[in-house]
Amino acid sequence: MSMQWYVARRVAWAVVATYLILSITFGLLVVAPGDGQTAFAFKAATQGGDVDEARETFDEITGRDEPMLTRYKNYMVNMATLNWGWSYTRNQPVLTAITEAYPYSLMYALPATLISIVFGYAIGLYSATHQYTLTDYFGTFTAFFGISIPNFWFGIMLILVFAVDLNWLPSYYQTGRGIWTFANVKQLILPIIVLSTGAIAGNMRYSRAEALEYVHADFVKTARAKGADDWRVLVRHIFRPALVPLMTILVADILGLLFAGAYITEVVFQIPGLGLLSYKAIVQQDTALVMATTLIPVFIAIIGNLLQDIAYTVLDPRIDYGGR
């Protein structure tokens, strides 16, 4: 099987998977209690508007005055054509809301991802090559601590210590401070620490476990006998074969950092990113915004797994497309 045919099949399956997930999300939103109409009418009433007229306007904006099948069809077509609708809670197009939110998520999620990959894999490899030493025990303890501690509690504790008691860092995120400024870096330190702690622990555990399979392998002993230095043995003969299964963890790690962890982190630190945007959209039953923010992690997951499988063949020539 050629690489082009394999990629084409995966892309076709990506379309089907995206369609199924969006359909399930739409169905859950339809049967969920509350529809946001009351909040919309209440907002109109507080501004001196007519409540009944506000309810009718809400139904027209959200398409609730149309049959269910028509609404479903319109949503699917709009998703495919990037016409993701209007967010009534933010009073702006959905694409505009996402465009304004995603830079805030990237500002702390990308550094946290890089930190978790570099430190997690480095500590795991060092721990595997120095098994049963004090450093190995300390790394294992750190990993269990990072995995076990809840992110929201850890974030609150960091705020209490470094923001309230010591007054070293801000307790919540404030917009309007620029991107490449020292003030912005200061208020991103705590979110990065919270987001990367659990990921470092997970990467450390998996990389240590995978590396231990090759530390005492015959080809590693042969490389050492031929005079290969420790760095070459670690990178070329231990890390490279261990990286094949670690690619799966890497994709899951990025997804967890950008979306699952973003919900908790952005709510705790009030960062106006995609996580907080999606959370508010779900609470306020903003269907158009929920559908759009659902599509983004789905798209990243599908593309990430596709790139991951292609990377398998680069890292391990024994894997081919015909066996998939």
Side-chain angles (χ1 to χ4, degrees):
M1 182 188 300
S2 66
M3 177 178 176
Q4 291 81 2
W5 175 239
Y6 172 73
V7 173
R9 289 180 58 186
R10 285 298 307 272
V11 171
W13 170 244
V15 175
V16 176
T18 303
Y19 171 78
L20 292 175
I21 291 175
L22 288 176
S23 299
I24 294 172
T25 303
F26 180 83
L28 292 174
L29 290 171
V30 169
V31 300
D35 56 5
Q37 187 188 70
T38 302
F40 188 82
F42 177 78
K43 182 178 179 180
T46 56
Q47 297 176 354
D50 183 78
V51 175
D52 295 332
E53 184 179 349
R55 293 179 183 275
E56 295 178 0
T57 303
F58 178 85
D59 291 338
E60 293 178 1
I61 294 175
T62 58
R64 296 177 185 272
D65 57 341
E66 299 176 345
M68 184 66 64
L69 183 60
T70 303
R71 289 172 53 193
Y72 172 75
K73 187 186 303 182
N74 291 337
Y75 270 115
M76 293 298 107
V77 172
N78 291 338
M79 285 291 163
T81 58
L82 296 181
N83 180 21
W84 290 354
W86 183 269
S87 172
Y88 72 89
T89 58
R90 297 177 61 91
N91 196 30
Q92 62 181 171
V94 170
L95 280 178
T96 303
I98 293 176
T99 303
E100 294 177 354
Y102 86 87
Y104 293 102
S105 295
L106 294 180
M107 279 193 295
Y108 72 94
L110 288 181
T113 303
L114 294 176
I115 290 173
S116 65
I117 293 172
V118 173
F119 283 91
Y121 287 175
I123 296 173
L125 291 173
Y126 185 87
S127 182
T129 54
H130 297 76
Q131 193 177 14
Y132 304 127
T133 62
L134 183 62
T135 307
D136 180 29
Y137 290 133
F138 178 76
T140 304
F141 169 79
T142 304
F144 280 109
F145 173 81
I147 292 175
S148 303
I149 190 171
N151 277 356
F152 72 92
W153 182 86
F154 188 41
I156 294 173
M157 291 300 103
L158 290 179
I159 290 174
L160 291 176
V161 173
F162 293 99
V164 178
D165 294 339
L166 300 176
N167 197 25
W168 289 354
L169 300 170
S171 59
Y172 64 94
Y173 189 87
Q174 299 180 28
T175 58
R177 295 193 172 186
I179 298 178
W180 308 107
T181 61
F182 180 71
N184 189 48
V185 173
K186 282 184 62 177
Q187 60 185 359
L188 290 174
I189 292 177
L190 294 183
I192 291 174
I193 292 175
V194 171
L195 205 57
S196 60
T197 300
I200 289 176
N203 287 334
M204 179 269 170
R205 288 187 62 198
Y206 284 112
S207 61
R208 180 182 183 275
E210 293 296 335
L212 282 175
E213 296 185 12
Y214 304 102
V215 168
H216 302 293
D218 291 338
F219 62 87
V220 174
K221 295 179 180 178
T222 302
R224 293 186 184 277
K226 290 183 177 180
D229 55 55
D230 292 340
W231 178 254
R232 180 179 176 83
V233 170
L234 179 64
V235 175
R236 186 70 179 267
H237 301 284
I238 297 178
F239 181 61
R240 184 176 178 179
L243 189 60
V244 177
L246 288 177
M247 290 296 297
T248 305
I249 309 303
L250 179 60
V251 174
D253 193 33
I254 293 175
L255 289 175
L257 278 170
L258 289 179
F259 298 100
Y263 274 83
I264 300 174
T265 304
E266 292 185 5
V267 170
V268 171
F269 293 97
Q270 288 300 294
I271 302 174
L274 289 174
L276 187 60
L277 180 69
S278 180
Y279 171 78
K280 289 183 177 179
I282 294 174
V283 172
Q284 298 170 346
Q285 292 286 305
D286 193 338
T287 306
L289 195 53
V290 172
M291 296 286 281
T293 53
T294 302
L295 179 63
I296 295 175
V298 170
F299 178 78
I300 292 180
I302 293 171
I303 298 300
N305 280 281
L306 174 61
L307 297 177
Q308 160 195 308
D309 284 350
I310 295 175
Y312 279 172
T313 62
V314 176
L315 295 171
D316 192 343
R318 296 172 298 176
I319 302 175
D320 57 32
Y321 298 103
R324 295 186 182 275

